[in-house]
Amino acid sequence: MAELPMLCKPQLPTELLRDIVFEYVFTFDEGRKREVPRHSSKPPWSLLEPLTLASKVLRQLTFEAWFEIYYVHSPDDLLTAWPELGLWTKELHCVELGTDLQILPVHWNLRAFHRLRKLRIDFDPMMSNTMLLMRFDYPKHIASNIRELEIYDTSWPSPLTIRLVVDAFSGLRTLKLSQDLIWCSLCNICCFSTFRDHPPKEIAYDKTVGLPGHYATYMRSLTNLQEVVLTISYGLGGNFSLSEGNANLWTGECDACMDMMYAEEDFRKDWVEKKTQTVRPPSLRSVKWRFRHKDVGDVIHLVDADEGEEVEVVETYTDE
Ligand SMILES: [Zn+2]
């Protein structure tokens, strides 16, 4: 741990001590791997514990900083939380490993968390889990005050998922989804994307909506939504490239659809034109697509997005 000799001097005002402690906790890089699903991004407690022994004031401040993000594995963790967490916790990081097939009539009860501004949900990528989102909207007045929602590994990122999000979290300003698949608005199937070569790390849209059409339609009722970040996995071996510009305003279309349907130039032009005219959610400023490479063996994720019924799932790819 870095030395913090100043912290023990009583003449420092508590406000300054608070800034120092929070700066120490939240700029700690080694433990803050924020994009690793199902892992806490907080630094190890062992690195903070000495602060709690230095003085009564530092102990209080360290707990406040530590519990600003509350990392939990079970709805029971919320029910047994200290009362002080209602004031300290601004972000809940929930790991939900259940499946739609065994959905329990139990909510992740947010009642105690009056200052909650961000909710992060990490699902199990091997489970069908979309309907589990309905466990996170209680009570409504807390859920609707959440400003940022981040979801990892929703099994089927179809418009149904977006509708569940919109219904539960009406006050969102930022929405981040990160999973292997994307919903193709040409064939209405959740797909694993493949490209001819590596896409850029990020594609950003600020002039056009940059979302699959039905996503944009559902999100219009999120009147405060300013930013959407969609992170997907991709493999190589496809026919289309995003590395040399984005003339087709790609928004998740699968390689098979682009290969078949874009061959008809009139259709392609009409489709792209339609994207330029898609109505944006009223406050939306930017949509970003981010990409992470995966080696693909045989990957088939098929789902009827309209019915939400799984048709076939075969997964044999491995992380890069
Ligand atoms: Zn498609």
Side-chain angles (χ1 to χ4, degrees):
M1 187 181 78
E3 290 187 11
L4 296 169
M6 295 289 288
L7 298 184
C8 299
K9 296 187 175 179
Q11 64 266 32
L12 281 177
T14 304
E15 292 78 6
L16 182 54
L17 281 175
R18 174 179 280 104
D19 287 348
I20 294 171
V21 170
F22 274 67
E23 179 76 10
Y24 176 66
V25 172
F26 289 100
T27 56
F28 186 89
D29 288 329
E30 187 180 335
R32 294 181 62 77
K33 298 173 180 172
R34 294 204 56 86
E35 297 191 357
V36 179
R38 296 169 295 285
H39 283 83
S40 173
S41 60
K42 298 181 355 176
W45 173 248
S46 59
L47 292 180
L48 300 180
E49 192 174 12
L51 283 177
T52 68
L53 306 176
S55 75
K56 196 171 177 182
V57 172
L58 276 175
R59 179 179 176 82
Q60 168 81 14
L61 294 176
T62 304
F63 278 136
E64 283 185 38
W66 173 255
F67 284 111
E68 185 159 305
I69 299 174
Y70 189 31
Y71 177 73
V72 289
H73 283 87
S74 159
D76 290 343
D77 295 336
L78 303 186
L79 300 177
T80 58
W82 294 351
E84 289 85 352
L85 267 59
L87 298 174
W88 296 343
T89 300
K90 295 178 181 172
E91 175 180 341
L92 266 183
H93 181 173
C94 303
V95 179
E96 166 62 77
L97 303 180
T99 166
D100 288 336
L101 303 177
Q102 299 172 326
I103 188 167
L104 301 171
V106 176
H107 276 89
W108 291 74
N109 191 332
L110 312 178
R111 183 180 297 280
F113 299 88
H114 304 289
R115 297 183 68 198
L116 200 60
R117 288 295 174 265
K118 177 175 177 180
L119 175 63
R120 170 172 167 174
I121 306 169
D122 293 7
F123 286 121
D124 183 342
M126 301 306 291
M127 296 292 180
S128 179
N129 54 45
T130 297
M131 302 307 291
L132 296 176
L133 276 170
M134 292 192 296
R135 299 179 69 193
F136 290 87
D137 67 347
Y138 182 82
K140 295 280 186 190
H141 72 278
I142 300 281
S144 62
N145 275 333
I146 291 172
R147 299 287 181 259
E148 181 173 348
L149 177 66
E150 190 169 7
I151 302 174
Y152 283 81
D153 293 316
T154 185
S155 52
W156 309 117
S158 71
L160 170 64
T161 301
I162 302 302
R163 196 179 76 188
L164 292 174
V165 166
V166 168
D167 288 348
F169 307 103
S170 58
L172 284 187
R173 295 181 181 173
T174 300
L175 173 62
K176 298 179 179 178
L177 298 179
S178 179
Q179 69 284 317
D180 283 346
L181 307 185
I182 186 52
W183 184 69
C184 171
S185 51
L186 283 169
C187 60
N188 292 348
I189 284 176
C190 289
C191 303
F192 182 83
S193 292
T194 53
F195 300 106
R196 190 171 64 224
D197 53 9
H198 294 288
K201 275 192 171 178
E202 179 179 289
I203 293 176
Y205 294 91
D206 52 14
K207 294 187 173 62
T208 56
V209 71
L211 293 166
H214 286 345
Y215 276 33
T217 301
Y218 282 123
M219 288 182 192
R220 265 176 232 149
S221 63
L222 295 176
T223 54
N224 297 317
L225 185 67
Q226 298 174 1
E227 181 184 32
V228 177
V229 180
L230 302 169
T231 302
I232 63 165
S233 300
Y234 74 93
L236 298 177
N239 294 301
F240 278 80
S241 170
L242 293 175
S243 67
E244 299 172 353
N246 184 23
N248 293 320
L249 301 177
W250 182 85
T251 52
E253 292 90 345
C254 72
D255 192 62
C257 282
M258 289 190 289
D259 193 27
M260 277 190 300
M261 301 172 83
Y262 284 6
E264 175 60 50
E265 181 61 11
D266 287 344
F267 173 84
R268 191 194 66 78
K269 277 186 179 173
D270 288 348
W271 182 252
V272 174
E273 176 67 17
K274 192 175 163 188
K275 293 186 190 190
T276 65
Q277 296 173 3
T278 303
V279 178
R280 301 163 69 89
S283 302
L284 189 66
R285 294 177 188 161
S286 91
V287 173
K288 294 171 182 166
W289 290 81
R290 293 174 181 161
F291 303 90
R292 60 188 184 203
H293 181 238
K294 282 201 168 183
D295 291 330
V296 186
D298 297 319
V299 180
I300 305 174
H301 271 279
L302 295 176
V303 64
D304 184 325
D306 289 331
E307 300 297 328
E309 291 179 357
E310 181 179 332
V311 177
E312 181 178 5
V313 180
V314 179
E315 293 184 304
T316 58
Y317 58 86
T318 55
D319 280 332
E320 187 178 28

